[in-house]
Amino acid sequence: MSTSARQTFLILASSVCISTLLWLDSLDGYLNARYHVQLTDYLPDSLFTPSRTLASVFRTDDEEESTAAAEQTNTPPDTAASAAPGSQSEPLEQPALLAAQARKHSLGVAQSASPASGAQSGPVSTGQPRILFAGDSMMQGLAPFVIAGLRKTYPNAYFSDQSKQSTGLTVKRYFDWPTRIKEEVLKQKFQAVVIFLGPNDPWDIYEDGVRYTFPSEKWVEKYRSRVREVLAFCKERNVDVIWVGLPNMRDGRVKQGAIVENKVFQEEALQYGFDYFPTEHLVGSLDMPFQKQIDDPVKGKVVVRADDGIHFTPTGLRLISSPLVELMKARWQ
Amino acid sequence: MSFISPEFAFAALLFLPLFWSLHSKRTLQLWVLTLSSYLLYSTWSPEGAAILLVYSISMWGCGNLINSIAKEKAWRVLAMSVSLILCTSILLMTKYYDFLRQIAIDTLPGLGLQDFLPLTDFVVPAGISFFTFQAVTYLVWRYRAEKAPSSLLHAAVFLSFWPTLFAGPILRAEDFFKNIQDEEFGLPREVPRAIYLILLGMAQKLVFSSWLADTFVDTAFRYPDALDGLQTGAAIWAYSLQIFLDFSGYSLIVTGLALLLGYRVPANFTQPYLARDLREFWRRWHITLSSFIRDYIYIPLGGSKAGGVRTQINLMLAMLISGIWHGANTTFFVWGALHGAGMLVINAYGKLGLGKMPRVLANALTLLYVAFAWVFFRANSCDSAWQLLQQLAVPPSAFHADVGLLCAFSVVFFFLSAQAATLEAWATGIFERAWGWRLVTMICLLSFGVVQLCPSGIPSFIYYRF
């Protein structure tokens, strides 16, 4: 290698190594969310000190506020457990900085000018429901269709689409949906929450140094406890929940995850007296081979799923949103 | 694996010293470069990498066929035509078939006919629009050049060159092979400038483009009826800035990475929002695409030498192709048509001999028109675009502080755009003088600032879709 190449390499390598050290904690969160590996399992804790110190120094007011709010609104395990018969307690979750950071950048859509303050959470009123849409990229696709459908009946309603891609219930450190939903319900007095997520979840869960391997029974119980955390809180606050189930998926792991997760969503929603909205009969059943298209009586075969075998085409989203809107309208009549 | 991901940074640290150390063994170096391209592509899609390999072998075979028929011109033309059809058919089949089938489904029953196109399940390989156009330049070059490098390695390395594989800039075969024969290829070149371009591109994409998307654009386009006129106008303008910062940021990163390989990629942007008319805009925006369309579509159609009306038709066709190249959707067609129509108006204005407009006015009108056209580019459907444009008539419901911030950002943006070359020379000079540990400190501080200000996760580049 020439001298200039060697010098360039030294400069680039030093820069990458120092930057890695300065961001090691965030990098750990990123790798955990993306590849489901935990650097803390392999590296000494002292290596994380610079990044943690910097993170605390550069933490914004917004993030501090969010963390504080999350600490206040976290439903204690006993409370969550008491709301559901047969449920188990779990340790109190502490949201990580990344979750707070992700919150800062999420989308909020106020569909009406009605102020959030002063509104009371409680049973959905027919006049102007306040509805939170939570979930991953699937909800990012679905929410605009559902909101457009609902607005015809509820022109003065308040809808907030806070869906965020690549999120789920597995990696709380990256994005903590239970805490986020609690915060938003308390802050914006939502009367209903619609949840649609899951394809990012069929991976091992790391919590308090313990690894829950997907799809072991312990994993299912841990996952179930996170679903319960949301449902128990909403039950307590008299907030309605509609949990949208997953349809067929192409990839084996995601498909297996959808089967396991759907079972949890359905059982827990029914347990708490909420609606579970299945989508398998609309855009593909999980016990069938994956197909992008379905038979339409008028148009013949129509494509309802995207090339990735997870998301939907606009036609597919319309097929899901129409009955979902009808369900919501019927429930709140 | 995105160029702005931590994984890529670590992989580059392993790859670059190996690549540089093979500088004296050019053939081996090109093999390593090709292999690295396929490995990188496989992290996106192994199927896509397999398709690219088969495609590269096919194009190499076509090139050899064209070259082997040296004497009979008619046969050469036939071989060339068949090769071009083969070259573009994969793009047409994977990217446009479903769109055409959907049109058939929607229209044929109304005409009393039955839809006859079967449903297929094609995988669209990442970057296909880019490597298809590069393959066209490869075939044309093999047709024209008498002594073109004819090995499979040359075809493979050109079509898979990783810095430009996913979203351009679109390379031309003659430039590429001239560049890799250069003695400086294979060793880091203009390193301070490369570092500046990579850092600037990261800041453009990760900080500014993400901020514009989060604060103004995404909400407006997902909920086109939710905002008032002021917010909608801000969202449309913010998208104009976002797509520039995103795509030019990507091109800067690619240029910097290519320089680290010792390769100079052609410029893709030269401050397009400072253009005084649409013609100038297209000489500054996505230059490698517009020059490709000019040289491989517009001129072969007859260009401006085909007579008045024919020239305008050629121009409109070129702009429509430019639009539909971005994707199989009527919105891209409308976007191309709007730019085509704008060009025709400019030509008519020139013919009328009305004289030049004041620069500021011409620049403002161009910007407004370009921003208006971007609405169709970004929207999911023409209905949605129209709905958004209608919102412009809704009176503002309140004062929006964000809009003020966008105005301030725009002022700074135009100031820096006008000074871009000076700024680059100045920053490169500083990096050059700081060579060593001071440069490392600067890189760490600047990248720390970028990461600190960017949202969580790794955002995708807009042009990865095309």
Side-chain angles (χ1 to χ4, degrees), chain B residues 71-216:
Chain B
K71 289 174 187 171
E72 299 287 338
K73 196 185 175 189
W75 284 106
R76 280 190 89 195
V77 171
L78 180 67
M80 180 67 191
S81 306
V82 172
S83 299
L84 283 175
I85 290 169
L86 187 69
C87 165
T88 49
S89 58
I90 183 174
L91 173 70
L92 297 173
M93 287 300 285
T94 55
K95 203 165 168 179
Y96 301 104
Y97 180 82
D98 277 349
F99 176 62
L100 294 174
R101 185 178 173 273
Q102 194 57 48
I103 291 174
I105 288 173
D106 292 341
T107 53
L108 291 182
L111 301 169
L113 299 168
Q114 269 213 312
D115 164 43
F116 57 91
L117 293 171
L119 189 79
T120 54
D121 190 6
F122 293 123
V123 176
V124 185
I128 185 168
S129 307
F130 294 92
F131 67 68
T132 301
F133 274 18
Q134 289 195 180
V136 170
T137 73
Y138 175 75
L139 291 175
V140 171
W141 178 66
R142 292 292 303 268
Y143 177 81
R144 287 178 182 160
E146 285 176 12
K147 289 181 180 174
S150 58
S151 73
L152 174 60
L153 173 62
H154 281 91
V157 75
F158 172 57
L159 293 177
S160 69
F161 186 56
W162 61 255
T164 61
L165 178 58
F166 303 104
I170 298 164
L171 304 179
R172 296 194 184 197
E174 62 266 37
D175 297 336
F176 181 81
F177 291 113
K178 200 174 151 193
N179 221 310
I180 63 167
Q181 280 164 3
D182 193 326
E183 185 53 32
E184 285 185 79
F185 175 78
L187 283 176
R189 182 189 277 201
E190 301 173 40
V191 178
R193 180 166 168 256
I195 291 169
Y196 167 74
L197 294 176
I198 293 169
L199 287 172
L200 178 63
M202 282 174 62
Q204 282 192 200
K205 169 62 192 170
L206 290 170
V207 182
F208 302 116
S209 171
S210 299
W211 170 68
L212 290 164
D214 280 358
T215 314
F216 303 98

Side-chain angles (χ1 to χ4, degrees), chain A residues 5 7-9 20 23 30 34-35 58 101 105 107 109 111 140 143-144 147 151 161 250 292-293 301, chain B residues 6-7 10 13 17 20 101 119 121 191 214 219 222-223 225-226 435 443-444 447-448 451-452 454 456 458:
Chain A
Q7 286 177 353
T8 304
F9 175 70
T20 301
W23 285 100
Y30 168 75
R34 193 169 170 86
Y35 302 105
F58 286 96
Q101 196 178 343
H105 296 285
L107 288 172
V109 179
Q111 294 279 7
Q140 284 185 328
I147 289 172
R151 286 199 74 204
D161 172 11
R250 175 181 276 156
K292 274 171 68 180
Q293 71 281 355
K301 285 196 181 300
Chain B
E7 303 94 302
F10 297 128
L13 279 190
W20 294 331
R101 185 178 173 273
L119 189 79
D121 190 6
V191 178
D214 280 358
T219 305
R222 282 178 74 198
Y223 298 96
D225 57 349
W435 189 258
I443 294 171
C444 291
S447 51
F448 183 86
V451 180
Q452 179 66 30
C454 80
S456 58
I458 306 293

Side-chain angles (χ1 to χ4, degrees), chain B residues 395-415:
Chain B
S397 55
F399 171 73
H400 305 291
D402 282 349
V403 178
L405 195 57
L406 181 64
C407 290
F409 179 79
S410 303
V411 171
V412 175
F413 169 81
F414 280 111
F415 174 75

Side-chain angles (χ1 to χ4, degrees), chain B residues 2-4 163 167-169 194-210 240-258 265 268-272 285-286 413 459-464:
Chain B
S2 169
F3 292 154
I4 49 174
I195 291 169
Y196 167 74
L197 294 176
I198 293 169
L199 287 172
L200 178 63
M202 282 174 62
Q204 282 192 200
K205 169 62 192 170
L206 290 170
V207 182
F208 302 116
S209 171
S210 299
S240 307
L241 291 174
Q242 185 206 343
I243 191 166
F244 169 72
L245 292 168
D246 190 290
F247 192 25
S248 76
Y250 174 82
S251 298
L252 290 174
I253 293 170
V254 163
T255 308
L257 291 172
V265 298
N268 223 13
F269 293 89
T270 49
Q271 311 310 327
W285 177 274
H286 202 174
F413 169 81
S460 183
F461 287 100
I462 292 174
Y463 263 69
Y464 274 180

Side-chain angles (χ1 to χ4, degrees), chain B residues 311-374:
Chain B
T311 298
Q312 307 313 313
I313 292 172
N314 290 343
L315 191 61
M316 182 54 102
L317 272 175
M319 294 318 295
L320 287 176
I321 290 170
S322 166
I324 210 75
W325 173 86
H326 287 87
N329 196 330
T330 44
T331 51
F332 294 120
F333 186 84
V334 172
W335 176 76
L338 283 171
H339 274 275
M343 296 276 218
L344 299 192
V345 169
I346 287 170
N347 286 349
Y349 184 87
K351 284 253 156 70
L352 290 173
L354 296 174
K356 279 190 173 178
M357 275 187 207
R359 182 163 187 103
V360 177
L361 180 64
N363 186 217
L365 282 176
T366 307
L367 268 181
L368 273 177
Y369 192 76
V370 167
F372 161 69
W374 282 134

